[in-house]
Amino acid sequence: MNSKIKDEHIDRLFEAILLLKNIDECYMFFEDLCTITEIKALAQRLEVAKMLRNGITYSEISEKTGASTATISRVNRYLNYGADGYKLVLDRLEGKE
């Protein structure tokens, strides 16, 4: 994996996340690691990505999620030109539903 952010500290963070076994453990870890605002922002971006993939308009996404058009645009850019992380996760989430 060739990533612009890759370093030993981020590797350690991701290894820690991969050790979490269920949603309750995720809540425990992320509530200690991040502010509530940061967690909500991450969740919002994932929801925006899902809605963009489903062809929802920027204005409707903004209305339903509260995301700014700048955030929606940024997520859209990464959906189309990023490392395909959104695609990977959204495909897997859709497979669970």
Side-chain angles (χ1 to χ4, degrees):
M1 167 90 220
N2 184 17
S3 174
K4 297 173 189 167
I5 64 168
K6 186 167 178 51
D7 72 25
E8 64 184 82
H9 301 292
I10 294 174
D11 284 353
R12 185 77 174 148
L13 170 64
F14 292 160
E15 287 168 4
I17 292 168
L18 289 170
L19 292 173
L20 300 171
K21 294 183 178 52
N22 55 48
I23 287 181
D24 287 337
E25 289 185 4
C26 287
Y27 272 99
M28 291 167 59
F29 181 66
F30 280 92
E31 282 186 39
D32 286 348
L33 181 67
C34 302
T35 66
I36 292 170
T37 302
E38 290 167 336
I39 295 167
K40 288 185 176 192
L42 294 171
Q44 181 188 64
R45 289 179 197 154
L46 185 58
E47 186 62 21
V48 167
K50 178 182 172 187
M51 294 174 85
L52 284 167
R53 269 190 24 157
N54 289 331
I56 310 288
T57 65
Y58 277 36
S59 60
E60 195 173 348
I61 293 170
S62 181
E63 183 180 311
K64 288 186 177 181
T65 66
S68 69
T69 55
T71 294
I72 298 166
S73 180
R74 189 177 316 113
V75 170
N76 193 47
R77 184 172 50 250
Y78 286 110
L79 266 175
N80 292 308
Y81 306 108
D84 288 333
Y86 279 125
K87 180 183 181 331
L88 175 75
V89 169
L90 291 171
D91 287 349
R92 288 183 183 172
L93 284 170
E94 286 175 9
K96 286 182 70 174
E97 294 174 355

